[in-house]
mmCIF file of all heavy atoms in Angstrom:
data_model
loop_
_atom_site.group_PDB
_atom_site.id
_atom_site.type_symbol
_atom_site.label_atom_id
_atom_site.label_comp_id
_atom_site.label_asym_id
_atom_site.label_seq_id
_atom_site.Cartn_x
_atom_site.Cartn_y
_atom_site.Cartn_z
ATOM 1 N N HIS A 1065 12.238 11.045 15.151
ATOM 2 C CA HIS A 1065 12.393 9.587 15.475
ATOM 3 C C HIS A 1065 11.979 8.722 14.331
ATOM 4 O O HIS A 1065 10.939 8.251 14.227
ATOM 5 C CB HIS A 1065 11.641 9.190 16.724
ATOM 6 C CG HIS A 1065 12.078 9.945 17.959
ATOM 7 N ND1 HIS A 1065 11.546 11.152 18.305
ATOM 8 C CD2 HIS A 1065 12.920 9.551 18.968
ATOM 9 C CE1 HIS A 1065 12.133 11.511 19.486
ATOM 10 N NE2 HIS A 1065 12.936 10.559 19.854
ATOM 11 N N LEU A 1098 10.595 -5.791 3.183
ATOM 12 C CA LEU A 1098 10.593 -4.451 3.468
ATOM 13 C C LEU A 1098 11.201 -4.071 4.833
ATOM 14 O O LEU A 1098 11.919 -2.947 5.052
ATOM 15 C CB LEU A 1098 9.300 -3.732 3.303
ATOM 16 C CG LEU A 1098 8.704 -3.793 1.769
ATOM 17 C CD1 LEU A 1098 7.385 -2.946 1.752
ATOM 18 C CD2 LEU A 1098 9.800 -3.210 0.928
ATOM 19 N N ASP A 1117 8.491 14.894 17.910
ATOM 20 C CA ASP A 1117 8.546 15.022 16.510
ATOM 21 C C ASP A 1117 7.692 16.140 15.996
ATOM 22 O O ASP A 1117 7.958 16.817 15.090
ATOM 23 C CB ASP A 1117 8.337 13.639 15.885
ATOM 24 C CG ASP A 1117 9.430 12.593 16.142
ATOM 25 O OD1 ASP A 1117 10.451 13.061 16.565
ATOM 26 O OD2 ASP A 1117 9.175 11.441 15.801
ATOM 27 N N ASN A 1142 1.702 -0.827 9.214
ATOM 28 C CA ASN A 1142 0.278 -0.892 9.432
ATOM 29 C C ASN A 1142 -0.086 -0.225 10.622
ATOM 30 O O ASN A 1142 -0.622 -0.698 11.624
ATOM 31 C CB ASN A 1142 -0.317 -2.244 9.323
ATOM 32 C CG ASN A 1142 0.248 -3.243 10.420
ATOM 33 O OD1 ASN A 1142 1.514 -3.222 10.778
ATOM 34 N ND2 ASN A 1142 -0.652 -4.003 10.904
ATOM 35 N N LEU A 1157 -2.870 15.042 19.179
ATOM 36 C CA LEU A 1157 -1.555 15.631 19.215
ATOM 37 C C LEU A 1157 -1.261 16.340 17.930
ATOM 38 O O LEU A 1157 -0.727 17.449 17.881
ATOM 39 C CB LEU A 1157 -0.487 14.660 19.421
ATOM 40 C CG LEU A 1157 -0.302 14.205 20.893
ATOM 41 C CD1 LEU A 1157 0.738 13.045 21.046
ATOM 42 C CD2 LEU A 1157 0.134 15.394 21.830
ATOM 43 N N PHE A 1162 -0.463 21.123 14.760
ATOM 44 C CA PHE A 1162 -0.807 21.594 13.381
ATOM 45 C C PHE A 1162 -2.200 21.745 13.229
ATOM 46 O O PHE A 1162 -3.013 20.924 12.746
ATOM 47 C CB PHE A 1162 -0.262 20.589 12.362
ATOM 48 C CG PHE A 1162 1.142 20.565 12.175
ATOM 49 C CD1 PHE A 1162 1.928 19.730 13.091
ATOM 50 C CD2 PHE A 1162 1.878 21.203 11.201
ATOM 51 C CE1 PHE A 1162 3.445 19.690 12.857
ATOM 52 C CE2 PHE A 1162 3.178 21.196 11.127
ATOM 53 C CZ PHE A 1162 3.992 20.423 11.868
ATOM 54 N N PRO A 1163 -2.750 22.951 13.763
ATOM 55 C CA PRO A 1163 -4.263 23.134 13.729
ATOM 56 C C PRO A 1163 -4.852 23.231 12.292
ATOM 57 O O PRO A 1163 -6.060 22.941 12.112
ATOM 58 C CB PRO A 1163 -4.408 24.488 14.287
ATOM 59 C CG PRO A 1163 -3.151 24.713 15.207
ATOM 60 C CD PRO A 1163 -1.994 24.038 14.448
ATOM 61 N N THR A 1175 -6.976 -6.712 8.077
ATOM 62 C CA THR A 1175 -7.307 -7.157 9.472
ATOM 63 C C THR A 1175 -7.335 -5.925 10.418
ATOM 64 O O THR A 1175 -8.049 -6.114 11.502
ATOM 65 C CB THR A 1175 -6.167 -8.215 9.921
ATOM 66 O OG1 THR A 1175 -5.013 -7.727 9.699
ATOM 67 C CG2 THR A 1175 -6.330 -9.406 9.129
ATOM 68 N N ARG A 1221 -13.532 -7.419 0.619
ATOM 69 C CA ARG A 1221 -14.773 -6.901 0.172
ATOM 70 C C ARG A 1221 -15.503 -6.362 1.384
ATOM 71 O O ARG A 1221 -16.077 -5.263 1.445
ATOM 72 C CB ARG A 1221 -15.619 -7.906 -0.594
ATOM 73 C CG ARG A 1221 -16.860 -7.372 -1.112
ATOM 74 C CD ARG A 1221 -17.945 -8.516 -1.462
ATOM 75 N NE ARG A 1221 -18.339 -9.053 -0.161
ATOM 76 C CZ ARG A 1221 -19.191 -8.535 0.834
ATOM 77 N NH1 ARG A 1221 -19.679 -7.246 0.535
ATOM 78 N NH2 ARG A 1221 -19.580 -9.137 1.902
ATOM 79 N N GLU A 1229 -18.650 2.689 4.033
ATOM 80 C CA GLU A 1229 -19.836 3.178 4.786
ATOM 81 C C GLU A 1229 -19.386 4.281 5.817
ATOM 82 O O GLU A 1229 -20.254 5.076 6.192
ATOM 83 C CB GLU A 1229 -20.445 2.006 5.537
ATOM 84 C CG GLU A 1229 -21.088 0.968 4.583
ATOM 85 C CD GLU A 1229 -21.471 -0.201 5.306
ATOM 86 O OE1 GLU A 1229 -21.303 -0.321 6.490
ATOM 87 O OE2 GLU A 1229 -22.148 -1.086 4.570
ATOM 88 N N GLY A 1231 -17.068 6.519 5.424
ATOM 89 C CA GLY A 1231 -16.597 7.751 4.834
ATOM 90 C C GLY A 1231 -15.168 7.906 4.745
ATOM 91 O O GLY A 1231 -14.612 8.956 4.368
ATOM 92 N N SER A 1243 0.175 -14.257 -8.168
ATOM 93 C CA SER A 1243 -0.562 -15.553 -8.405
ATOM 94 C C SER A 1243 0.339 -16.564 -9.106
ATOM 95 O O SER A 1243 -0.056 -17.725 -9.067
ATOM 96 C CB SER A 1243 -1.685 -15.259 -9.298
ATOM 97 O OG SER A 1243 -2.707 -14.370 -8.670
ATOM 98 N N GLY A 1244 1.570 -16.101 -9.569
ATOM 99 C CA GLY A 1244 2.392 -17.085 -10.031
ATOM 100 C C GLY A 1244 2.233 -17.308 -11.598
ATOM 101 O O GLY A 1244 1.294 -16.886 -12.185
ATOM 102 N N VAL A 1265 -10.118 4.992 -4.249
ATOM 103 C CA VAL A 1265 -9.805 6.132 -5.094
ATOM 104 C C VAL A 1265 -8.649 5.969 -5.946
ATOM 105 O O VAL A 1265 -8.520 6.609 -6.981
ATOM 106 C CB VAL A 1265 -9.608 7.397 -4.213
ATOM 107 C CG1 VAL A 1265 -10.763 7.755 -3.411
ATOM 108 C CG2 VAL A 1265 -8.306 7.200 -3.369
ATOM 109 N N LEU A 1272 5.892 -7.574 -8.534
ATOM 110 C CA LEU A 1272 6.702 -8.479 -7.607
ATOM 111 C C LEU A 1272 8.120 -8.611 -8.068
ATOM 112 O O LEU A 1272 8.501 -8.991 -9.093
ATOM 113 C CB LEU A 1272 5.928 -9.845 -7.684
ATOM 114 C CG LEU A 1272 6.665 -10.945 -6.767
ATOM 115 C CD1 LEU A 1272 6.616 -10.687 -5.371
ATOM 116 C CD2 LEU A 1272 5.962 -12.383 -7.070
ATOM 117 N N VAL A 1274 11.414 -10.749 -6.426
ATOM 118 C CA VAL A 1274 11.717 -11.759 -5.573
ATOM 119 C C VAL A 1274 13.252 -11.622 -5.108
ATOM 120 O O VAL A 1274 14.107 -11.557 -5.941
ATOM 121 C CB VAL A 1274 11.506 -13.172 -6.192
ATOM 122 C CG1 VAL A 1274 11.887 -14.297 -5.015
ATOM 123 C CG2 VAL A 1274 10.113 -13.382 -6.638
ATOM 124 N N GLU A 1291 7.662 -18.148 -10.759
ATOM 125 C CA GLU A 1291 7.430 -16.770 -11.009
ATOM 126 C C GLU A 1291 6.896 -16.575 -12.465
ATOM 127 O O GLU A 1291 7.404 -17.287 -13.439
ATOM 128 C CB GLU A 1291 8.793 -15.993 -10.809
ATOM 129 C CG GLU A 1291 8.492 -14.327 -10.767
ATOM 130 C CD GLU A 1291 9.874 -13.753 -10.586
ATOM 131 O OE1 GLU A 1291 10.998 -14.414 -10.304
ATOM 132 O OE2 GLU A 1291 9.835 -12.505 -10.633
ATOM 133 N N GLU A 1292 6.060 -15.572 -12.628
ATOM 134 C CA GLU A 1292 5.700 -15.098 -13.937
ATOM 135 C C GLU A 1292 6.836 -14.551 -14.750
ATOM 136 O O GLU A 1292 7.701 -13.938 -14.050
ATOM 137 C CB GLU A 1292 4.607 -13.994 -13.780
ATOM 138 C CG GLU A 1292 3.175 -14.496 -13.579
ATOM 139 C CD GLU A 1292 2.201 -13.379 -13.646
ATOM 140 O OE1 GLU A 1292 2.541 -12.223 -13.205
ATOM 141 O OE2 GLU A 1292 1.125 -13.550 -14.151
ATOM 142 N N GLU A 1309 -14.270 -1.760 -13.588
ATOM 143 C CA GLU A 1309 -15.444 -0.957 -14.174
ATOM 144 C C GLU A 1309 -15.726 0.176 -13.381
ATOM 145 O O GLU A 1309 -16.702 0.981 -13.606
ATOM 146 C CB GLU A 1309 -16.709 -1.926 -14.171
ATOM 147 C CG GLU A 1309 -16.489 -3.185 -15.062
ATOM 148 C CD GLU A 1309 -17.569 -4.161 -15.028
ATOM 149 O OE1 GLU A 1309 -18.428 -4.020 -14.039
ATOM 150 O OE2 GLU A 1309 -17.605 -5.065 -15.689
ATOM 151 N N LEU A 1340 -0.354 -0.446 -22.770
ATOM 152 C CA LEU A 1340 -0.009 -1.816 -22.340
ATOM 153 C C LEU A 1340 0.274 -2.743 -23.573
ATOM 154 O O LEU A 1340 1.245 -3.551 -23.456
ATOM 155 C CB LEU A 1340 -0.907 -2.371 -21.266
ATOM 156 C CG LEU A 1340 -1.011 -1.471 -19.995
ATOM 157 C CD1 LEU A 1340 -2.294 -1.976 -19.255
ATOM 158 C CD2 LEU A 1340 0.252 -1.910 -19.201
ATOM 159 N N ASP A 1341 -0.548 -2.679 -24.500
ATOM 160 C CA ASP A 1341 -0.379 -3.584 -25.639
ATOM 161 C C ASP A 1341 0.949 -3.280 -26.326
ATOM 162 O O ASP A 1341 1.620 -4.248 -26.837
ATOM 163 C CB ASP A 1341 -1.521 -3.350 -26.713
ATOM 164 C CG ASP A 1341 -2.723 -4.003 -26.248
ATOM 165 O OD1 ASP A 1341 -2.786 -4.836 -25.479
ATOM 166 O OD2 ASP A 1341 -3.909 -3.401 -26.700
ATOM 167 N N GLU A 1349 11.035 -9.541 -23.437
ATOM 168 C CA GLU A 1349 11.241 -10.196 -22.209
ATOM 169 C C GLU A 1349 12.782 -9.915 -21.593
ATOM 170 O O GLU A 1349 12.907 -9.669 -20.415
ATOM 171 C CB GLU A 1349 11.069 -11.666 -22.222
ATOM 172 C CG GLU A 1349 11.286 -12.499 -21.014
ATOM 173 C CD GLU A 1349 10.268 -12.014 -19.877
ATOM 174 O OE1 GLU A 1349 9.149 -11.624 -20.229
ATOM 175 O OE2 GLU A 1349 10.517 -12.324 -18.721
ATOM 176 N N HIS A 1360 17.544 -3.556 -6.876
ATOM 177 C CA HIS A 1360 18.205 -4.343 -5.767
ATOM 178 C C HIS A 1360 17.406 -4.173 -4.543
ATOM 179 O O HIS A 1360 17.530 -4.975 -3.551
ATOM 180 C CB HIS A 1360 19.658 -3.613 -5.549
ATOM 181 C CG HIS A 1360 20.515 -3.792 -6.816
ATOM 182 N ND1 HIS A 1360 20.891 -4.989 -7.328
ATOM 183 C CD2 HIS A 1360 21.056 -2.948 -7.593
ATOM 184 C CE1 HIS A 1360 21.704 -4.819 -8.351
ATOM 185 N NE2 HIS A 1360 21.775 -3.532 -8.591
#
Side-chain angles (χ1 to χ4, degrees):
H1065 293 84
L1098 292 184
D1117 287 350
N1142 60 320
L1157 281 175
F1162 286 86
T1175 50
R1221 188 202 62 76
E1229 291 172 3
S1243 293
V1265 297
L1272 176 66
V1274 182
E1291 187 176 2
E1292 278 186 322
E1309 299 172 353
L1340 290 166
D1341 285 338
E1349 180 66 24
H1360 299 298

